[in-house]
């Protein structure tokens, strides 16, 4: 008996449950592979114990599945930052907590972070849902400026500078792990001081 024959079919109207299982499997596999091109729909189908044709009922191709998996990861990354920021006592502490929480997520999920930023799907399709992260960072910096905790400037430009620095730091740590890296928190604090103007 093969793997697909051992799975019970979902009850009528529960197609979304299967879609969720497929995305969950893809997230897990992408985290291990750290490369979207190494993922195949057939392999995902085996992981979920369904026929490959069942995957196509929910995703027309591999790129669509990768995008769905990466949107889930992005949503988790945003939620992680939101929760950390909500517990902070002031705008500067909230911005710092948000960035450190997101850096922590990336360090805990290096394969997924790599796919989020370096995948073929990202290069060919983009990931428009990542605009939420940009908006959150921009708004956090604006609050710091309004509270007098950072010098007045264009918060959108400062946010881009900060995200470029943090994303570059995280990508290099993932791709060049043998370099003598200082603690991530020290680098993040330097970015916040030099690029945003916080006084930590």
């Amino acid at each position: 008996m093969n793997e697909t024959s051992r799975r019970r079919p979902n009850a009528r109207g529960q197609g979304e449950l299967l879609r969720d299982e497929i995305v969950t499997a893809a997230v897990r596999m992408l985290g291990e592979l750290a490369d979207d091109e190494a993922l195949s729909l057939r392999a995902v189908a085996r992981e979920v114990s369904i026929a490959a044709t069942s995957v196509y009922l929910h995703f027309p191709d591999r790129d669509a599945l990768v995008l769905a998996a990466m949107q889930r990861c992005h949503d988790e990354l945003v939620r992680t930052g939101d929760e950390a920021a909500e517990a902070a006592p002031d705008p500067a502490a909230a911005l710092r907590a948000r960035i450190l929480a997101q850096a922590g997520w990336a360090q805990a999920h290096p394969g997924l972070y790599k796919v989020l930023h370096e995948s073929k799907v990202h290069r060919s399709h983009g990931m428009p849902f990542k605009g939420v992260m940009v908006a959150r960072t921009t708004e956090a910096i604006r609050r710091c400026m309004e509270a007098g905790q950072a010098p007045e400037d264009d918060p959108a430009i400062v946010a881009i500078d900060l995200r470029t620095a943090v994303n570059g730091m995280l990508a290099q740590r993932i791709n060049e792990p043998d370099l003598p890296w200082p603690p991530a928190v020290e680098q993040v604090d330097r970015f916040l001081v030099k690029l945003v103007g916080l006084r930590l």
Side-chain angles (χ1 to χ4, degrees), residues 16-191:
E16 280 303 305
L17 292 178
L18 177 56
R19 185 185 189 279
D20 184 70
E21 287 184 57
I22 293 169
V23 174
T24 297
V27 168
R28 183 168 57 251
M29 295 171 73
L30 286 167
E32 295 169 356
L33 295 168
D35 178 6
D36 62 314
E37 293 187 83
L39 184 76
S40 73
L41 294 184
R42 192 171 297 277
V44 174
R46 283 197 302 269
E47 183 76 7
V48 185
S49 299
I50 58 176
T53 51
S54 296
V55 178
Y56 286 103
L57 295 175
H58 299 275
F59 301 99
D61 53 36
R62 185 185 63 187
D63 286 5
L65 175 54
V66 171
L67 281 171
M70 290 299 95
Q71 179 154 10
R72 178 182 291 183
C73 292
H74 175 268
D75 292 347
E76 182 180 325
L77 189 52
V78 169
R79 187 166 56 252
T80 297
D82 287 349
E83 290 171 355
E86 286 169 5
D90 57 65
L95 174 60
R96 181 175 185 268
R98 177 181 297 279
I99 299 300
L100 287 175
Q102 292 168 345
W105 187 96
Q107 291 179 306
H109 305 89
L112 293 173
Y113 195 82
K114 189 176 176 70
V115 175
L116 264 172
H117 294 279
E118 301 177 21
S119 63
K120 179 182 178 184
V121 167
H122 184 272
R123 294 192 300 272
S124 58
H125 296 281
M127 294 183 179
F129 47 80
K130 290 171 73 174
V132 174
M133 182 80 74
V134 176
R136 289 287 207 283
T137 306
T138 301
E139 180 57 26
I141 290 171
R142 177 181 287 109
R143 288 175 182 165
C144 290
M145 293 176 181
E146 291 173 348
Q149 293 180 301
E152 289 190 15
D153 203 336
D154 183 338
I157 296 299
V158 176
I160 289 173
D161 287 346
L162 179 61
R163 283 178 48 77
T164 300
V166 172
N167 288 340
M169 173 197 80
L170 293 169
Q172 284 190 292
R173 284 171 182 265
I174 292 168
N175 293 322
E176 301 182 69
D178 295 330
L179 289 180
W181 293 104
V185 65
E186 292 181 6
Q187 277 195 298
V188 168
D189 282 348
R190 282 195 290 274
F191 296 153

